[in-house]
Amino acid sequence: MLIQLAILGLLAAMLPLAVVWASKDANKFRKLAWVTLFLTFDLIMFGAFTRLTDSGLGCPDWPGCYGHANPVQAHSSISAAEAAMPHGPVTVVKAWIEMIHRYLAMGVGVLIVAMMVVAWLRWVKSRRTDATYSPLLPTLLFGFVCLQGAFGAWTVTMKLQPIIVTGHLLLGMTLLGLLTWLAARQSTHAPVAAAPGLRTAAVVGLAILTVQIGLGGWVSTNYAALACTDFPLCHGALLPRMDFEHGFTLWRELGMTAGGDYLPFDALTAIHWTHRSFAFIVVAYLGWLGHKAMRIDGLQRAGRWLLLGVLAQFCIGMATVFLKWPLAIAVLHNGGAAALVVLTVMLNYKATLSAGSRPVRNVSSAYPA
């Protein structure tokens, strides 16, 4: 089974590797970084689809499916589980969704290993003088993808425990952010004018966004998206009845309190209300940050995209409430969060290029941020 899974992971990476190899871009390493970033973004979207379709336990073991490398080989076991629990978490469709997610994750892992190997080879070949190929970040990415794989396994073996699933989401977003930084480092950028305080402001913006993504993950993993069905009020009140103690007890089983009782609805309300309320802080701060960036030479484009991303994500978030959490909108909301990570990390990288921060390569790029 493990050999078959390894082959499937390699096959999943073959097409993007072929795209990189056939590219006319002379800098294949840069192309590989951007392709891996794109596929990681897609993987996060598909991971959201897997979670929101309740397919996380479509194969209740790991890394295979009932001890097999694919649902075809495990068909008899899946059919037996589905017959025993017709409305349970195991169906043929959910098994395929879960395994396709794993295949894509293995493919991204292969691409990250390829980047790490290339970075080490080129860095050693340059006698450790070419900082462009410093292997520190690609090696860190390899460590993160291994940790992410471990959380993926725990997600299954610990039966979708909310803190594990939320951690899995945050690690995926961290991986996306690190890949964004690596891709930005490999590209060239226009010079950025002096901007006192911008680097600190950009770091704070990324920290606030991370907190909000964690809160959003906590809403999703606790199935609290419909705990408040009106907006801007919740149950017709600005401050509805809420149970923060049980809602934000981190170590507990899905749908249960730490004491083993069913999670009260007031706890779900507290989870939803907190995420919704903090969203106003995120929108205000990132909106201000994007506006500030638009007034700085070299950052106008980055600031404009950040403003558009924040506005779009806020509208999508409201749509999930008004439209009663349709699957496509919910997946798009996760994609919006991932897009904001890319945009905010890119702004943080560009902030390091402001006058007085570090030397800038004043060359136009095929990948302007």
Side-chain angles (χ1 to χ4, degrees), residues 47 51 101 147-153 155 162-174:
R51 183 175 68 256
H101 176 59
L147 183 60
Q148 178 73 329
F151 267 81
T155 293
I163 189 61
I164 299 297
V165 181
T166 302
H168 191 46
L169 170 66
L170 287 172
L171 281 172
M173 293 295 187
T174 301

Side-chain angles (χ1 to χ4, degrees), residues 83-152:
M85 296 182 63
H87 302 290
V90 179
T91 66
V92 173
V93 173
K94 290 181 179 180
W96 272 111
I97 292 173
E98 170 68 358
M99 289 309 296
I100 290 173
H101 176 59
R102 295 181 191 179
Y103 299 151
L104 292 175
M106 288 187 290
V108 169
V110 171
L111 295 178
I112 288 175
V113 169
M115 281 197 300
M116 181 180 67
V117 171
V118 171
W120 273 103
L121 290 175
R122 293 195 178 184
W123 191 59
V124 170
K125 186 177 180 180
S126 71
R127 300 180 184 274
R128 303 181 180 182
T129 58
D130 191 349
T132 304
Y133 296 105
S134 171
L136 178 61
L137 185 51
T139 304
L140 181 63
L141 281 166
F142 174 72
F144 261 93
V145 82
C146 291
L147 183 60
Q148 178 73 329
F151 267 81

Side-chain angles (χ1 to χ4, degrees), residues 18-309:
V19 169
V20 172
W21 182 261
S23 171
K24 296 180 180 180
D25 192 336
N27 190 337
K28 303 296 185 185
F29 186 75
R30 176 178 64 184
K31 186 71 174 182
L32 179 58
W34 281 98
V35 167
T36 305
L37 170 62
F38 173 76
L39 291 177
T40 301
F41 183 92
D42 294 338
L43 178 61
I44 289 174
M45 291 279 285
F46 197 82
F49 178 76
T50 301
R51 183 175 68 256
L52 293 167
T53 55
D54 294 325
S55 301
L57 294 179
C59 289
D61 54 337
W62 191 92
C65 190
Y66 286 97
H68 297 283
N70 60 72
V72 173
Q73 295 172 314
H75 184 77
S76 59
S77 298
I78 296 171
S79 298
E82 188 174 2
M85 296 182 63
H87 302 290
V90 179
T91 66
V92 173
V93 173
K94 290 181 179 180
W96 272 111
I97 292 173
E98 170 68 358
M99 289 309 296
I100 290 173
H101 176 59
R102 295 181 191 179
Y103 299 151
L104 292 175
M106 288 187 290
V108 169
V110 171
L111 295 178
I112 288 175
V113 169
M115 281 197 300
M116 181 180 67
V117 171
V118 171
W120 273 103
L121 290 175
R122 293 195 178 184
W123 191 59
V124 170
K125 186 177 180 180
S126 71
R127 300 180 184 274
R128 303 181 180 182
T129 58
D130 191 349
T132 304
Y133 296 105
S134 171
L136 178 61
L137 185 51
T139 304
L140 181 63
L141 281 166
F142 174 72
F144 261 93
V145 82
C146 291
L147 183 60
Q148 178 73 329
F151 267 81
W154 294 332
T155 293
V156 176
T157 59
M158 300 185 73
K159 308 303 180 186
L160 305 182
Q161 187 165 324
I163 189 61
I164 299 297
V165 181
T166 302
H168 191 46
L169 170 66
L170 287 172
L171 281 172
M173 293 295 187
T174 301
L175 190 67
L176 183 71
L178 290 173
L179 281 166
T180 302
W181 192 276
L182 177 64
R185 191 184 74 180
Q186 299 309 122
S187 302
T188 49
H189 304 271
V192 178
L198 177 64
R199 294 181 65 178
T200 300
V203 169
V204 171
L206 183 58
I208 291 175
L209 177 62
T210 301
V211 172
Q212 178 66 349
I213 290 173
L215 290 172
W218 196 242
V219 170
S220 180
T221 57
N222 282 281
Y223 296 88
L226 292 179
C228 297
T229 56
D230 49 340
F231 183 89
L233 301 178
C234 179
H235 306 314
L238 186 61
L239 290 172
R241 191 172 65 182
M242 294 178 280
D243 183 351
F244 288 95
E245 179 183 357
H246 288 116
F248 287 93
T249 297
L250 300 183
W251 193 261
R252 55 177 172 77
E253 295 182 14
L254 175 62
M256 310 296 288
T257 66
D261 299 319
Y262 286 111
L263 194 67
F265 186 77
D266 290 347
L268 299 180
T269 301
I271 293 170
H272 182 111
W273 182 89
T274 302
H275 174 61
R276 177 190 290 191
S277 299
F278 197 73
F280 290 103
I281 297 174
V282 176
V283 169
Y285 189 88
L286 292 186
W288 168 81
L289 182 62
H291 181 262
K292 179 180 177 68
M294 287 178 61
R295 300 172 62 185
I296 300 170
D297 290 339
L299 291 180
Q300 292 94 337
R301 192 175 184 182
R304 189 181 308 116
W305 276 109
L306 182 58
L307 278 174
L308 290 174

